[in-house]
């Protein structure tokens, strides 16, 4: 994976978790927050830290925002600051701006004022939790668009010992098994003759409504 330079603005709980994961992935991180304690807490995970107000054009100019591969705005609880920061980043030539939203109306304003993409953690986690914990088979899922998703599912009892061609979910539901996963390792080589033991989980791709019918969600 190519190392990227990231300007991370806002080190609340969500921002700190992003910093930790970016650090784990080996990226270079410049973190900005008004709170000195938050900056100090994040220093083990970031390349550099700056205490300051991200709505200050002078501060953002001094950081050279156009030199970062991506700018992530995770300010929570102060939408005005988030909006002003997002707008300033784009005006100063930021290559890509990803901003956090807590409501649909915030997402609309951020997109209109410089955000290239929106992070909507509360909404995204709520949808994930509702699907994950009301199903007997769903272990994880990724929404790819309005109608298409990838689900990680346990193998239903009725499928165990059968091959992919025997369960025939591609013809019945237009769902594709794109990989299997066992002990944390993904095997992307799945053929019609692959026999399902039940010890693995399946990564399946299809329209959400078809997945709901197939896995009785």
């Amino acid at each position: 994976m190519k190392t990227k330079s990231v300007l991370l603005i806002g080190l609340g709980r969500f921002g700190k978790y992003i910093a930790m994961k970016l650090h784990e992935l080996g990226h270079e991180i410049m973190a900005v927050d008004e709170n000195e304690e938050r900056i100090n807490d994040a220093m083990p995970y970031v390349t550099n830290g700056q205490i300051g107000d991200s709505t200050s054009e002078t501060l953002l100019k001094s950081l050279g925002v156009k030199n970062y591969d991506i700018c992530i705005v995770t300010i929570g609880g102060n939408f005005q600051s988030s909006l002003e920061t997002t707008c300033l980043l784009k005006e100063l030539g930021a290559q890509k701006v990803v901003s956090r939203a807590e409501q649909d109306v915030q997402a609309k304003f951020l997109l209109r004022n410089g955000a290239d993409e929106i992070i909507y953690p509360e909404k995204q986690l709520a949808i994930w939790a509702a699907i994950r914990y009301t199903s007997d088979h769903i272990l994880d899922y990724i929404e790819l668009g309005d109608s298409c998703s990838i689900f990680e599912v346990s193998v239903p009892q009725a499928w165990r010992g059968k091959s992919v061609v025997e369960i025939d979910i591609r013809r019945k539901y237009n769902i594709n098994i794109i990989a299997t996963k066992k002990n944390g390792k993904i095997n992307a080589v799945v053929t019609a003759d692959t026999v399902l033991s039940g010890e693995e989980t399946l990564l399946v791709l299809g329209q959400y409504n078809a997945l709901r019918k197939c896995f009785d969600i």
Side-chain angles (χ1 to χ4, degrees):
M1 179 184 294
K2 179 186 175 183
T3 298
K4 293 193 175 183
S5 57
V6 180
L7 176 59
L8 177 62
I9 298 177
L11 286 171
R13 283 175 294 180
F14 183 57
K16 185 178 178 181
Y17 283 131
I18 290 180
M20 292 168 69
K21 189 62 181 181
L22 290 170
H23 172 72
E24 182 184 324
L25 294 171
H27 299 300
E28 297 177 355
I29 312 153
M30 166 58 84
V32 178
D33 198 285
E34 287 185 303
N35 188 301
E36 182 178 0
E37 185 178 349
R38 287 179 175 179
I39 290 289
N40 291 335
D41 287 344
M43 286 309 295
Y45 315 109
V46 302
T47 312
N48 210 337
Q50 176 72 52
I51 303 166
D53 179 4
S54 62
T55 64
S56 165
E57 184 174 350
T58 302
L59 173 65
L60 294 184
K61 278 184 177 179
S62 73
L63 295 173
V65 298
K66 64 176 64 175
N67 297 318
Y68 293 93
D69 294 308
I70 183 169
C71 300
I72 305 177
V73 182
T74 65
I75 299 170
N78 188 338
F79 180 64
Q80 184 65 33
S81 290
S82 178
L83 185 62
E84 289 182 25
T85 299
T86 297
C87 188
L88 275 173
L89 287 170
K90 189 55 72 172
E91 288 179 356
L92 292 172
Q95 297 182 43
K96 184 173 184 179
V97 180
V98 178
S99 298
R100 175 186 180 178
E102 296 175 351
Q103 302 174 32
D104 290 340
V105 67
Q106 291 182 357
K108 291 178 182 177
F109 275 110
L110 288 165
L111 288 169
R112 289 174 185 170
N113 288 276
D116 297 296
E117 293 186 28
I118 297 298
I119 304 172
Y120 206 152
E122 290 84 0
K123 181 177 181 180
Q124 290 161 345
L125 182 58
I127 293 170
W128 180 90
I131 292 173
R132 166 67 179 87
Y133 294 111
T134 57
S135 168
D136 294 331
H137 300 293
I138 305 301
L139 303 176
D140 201 356
Y141 99 104
I142 302 171
E143 191 173 284
L144 300 180
D146 292 336
S147 61
C148 194
S149 302
I150 295 175
F151 280 37
E152 180 182 351
V153 299
S154 58
V155 178
Q157 186 66 42
W159 295 6
R160 297 177 185 182
K162 294 183 179 180
S163 67
V164 170
V165 71
E166 286 179 296
I167 62 174
D168 202 18
I169 61 172
R170 185 172 184 177
R171 182 184 63 81
K172 294 176 182 176
Y173 301 100
N174 198 26
I175 293 172
N176 292 295
I177 299 175
I178 58 176
T180 61
K181 182 177 176 182
K182 186 175 179 180
N183 299 325
K185 295 182 178 179
I186 293 177
N187 176 17
V189 181
V190 180
T191 70
D193 297 325
T194 298
V195 176
L196 307 177
S197 67
E199 296 179 1
E200 71 280 84
T201 58
L202 308 177
L203 299 180
V204 297
L205 171 68
Q207 289 191 341
Y208 178 66
N209 287 337
L211 290 162
R212 289 186 62 182
K213 290 179 182 178
C214 181
F215 294 100
D216 205 17
I217 302 172

